[in-house]
Amino acid sequence: AQSVTQPDIHITVSEGASLELRCNYSYGATPYLFWYVQSPGQGLQLLLKYFSGDTLVQGIKGFEAEFKRSQSSFNLRKPSVHWSDAAEYFCAVGAAFGNEKLTFGTGTRLTIIP
Amino acid sequence: GAGVSQSPSNKVTEKGKDVELRCDPISGHTALYWYRQSLGQGLEFLIYFQGNSAPDKSGLPSDRFSAERTGGSVSTLTIQRTQQEDSAVYLCASRGGGARQETQYFGPGTRLLVL
């Protein structure tokens, strides 16, 4: 069965500082990997996704993520955070075949301080 | 174009009552998903529809939960005899049914509170 672990429940960073959110997955084959962001009271917005090819993927809002098969990781990074980045971030893995349902991690809540 | 819409945005009900939650997917999307987001369980898959195929109901937590999708478009999630543990945000997502590797687009969710 597929699973996703986000080890950090809550992270606080200063505005302008760099950010890395960790994600580890368990999946028997090549996974489809996603990062979604959820602002309070809002639905999920896709930041970026990895299916194949280049292991460094670029997303919206200046985010990027790197797929490392050897470490079963898909960490999200941003070089300089903005106050508007405060939200909850979810990593997800999807099956390549079948229903392609998403299995989500428990999320990381990001707080930005001035 | 319009995204995934869900109604109502909030629903308060009494324990034991039935509720219906509605999802309007993106036009032309053949795949539709329901997820539940709760404090204790995080985000979990409930059910999946793809075109005219039989739905994948493997994520439904009990037989009090059911869903249908009429005309390959709008979907309704029904919870019968609601319990307090059903309180959660119910999210709907749709995906284009063409090639693989397409993104699931999520609606804003319905926040359900069972008193």
Side-chain angles (χ1 to χ4, degrees), chain B residues 27-43:
Chain B
S27 178
H29 280 190
T30 60
L32 187 147
Y33 303 77
W34 284 97
Y35 294 86
R36 178 169 71 173
Q37 185 175 25
S38 57
L39 284 177
Q41 302 297 322
L43 268 157

Side-chain angles (χ1 to χ4, degrees), chain B residues 57-90:
Chain B
K57 305 178 182 179
S58 61
L60 295 178
S62 77
D63 58 8
R64 295 187 296 104
F65 288 72
S66 63
E68 63 177 21
R69 189 177 184 193
T70 54
S73 180
V74 172
S75 177
T76 302
L77 177 69
T78 301
I79 308 173
Q80 296 178 309
R81 306 180 302 282
T82 52
Q83 303 294 312
Q84 289 181 332
E85 61 262 29
D86 299 334
S87 296
V89 177
Y90 290 82

Side-chain angles (χ1 to χ4, degrees), chain A residues 25 27-31 33 50-53 55 66-74:
Chain A
Y25 68 90
Y27 188 65
T30 300
L33 293 160
Y50 170 79
F51 290 134
S52 64
T55 56
E66 186 171 12
F67 170 60
K68 293 186 177 180
R69 184 188 300 275
S70 61
Q71 298 177 17
S72 297
S73 69
F74 189 58

Side-chain angles (χ1 to χ4, degrees), chain A residues 18-34:
Chain A
S18 63
L19 172 71
E20 182 168 29
L21 302 183
R22 295 182 291 165
C23 172
N24 291 93
Y25 68 90
S26 174
Y27 188 65
T30 300
Y32 290 169
L33 293 160
F34 306 81

Side-chain angles (χ1 to χ4, degrees), chain A residues 32 36 38 41-44 46 49 51-52 90 96-102 104, chain B residues 33 35 37 43 45 48 56 58 91 95 100-108 111:
Chain A
Y32 290 169
Y36 282 87
Q38 186 178 39
Q42 304 295 312
L44 295 168
L46 180 72
K49 60 188 178 184
F51 290 134
S52 64
F90 293 91
F97 299 97
N99 65 23
E100 298 186 35
K101 69 178 184 181
L102 296 178
F104 287 87
Chain B
Y33 303 77
Y35 294 86
Q37 185 175 25
L43 268 157
F45 163 79
Y48 162 71
D56 178 346
S58 61
L91 294 167
R95 174 177 63 79
R100 296 286 179 182
Q101 307 180 358
E102 294 194 39
T103 300
Q104 291 184 29
Y105 293 92
F106 284 80
R111 188 176 300 272

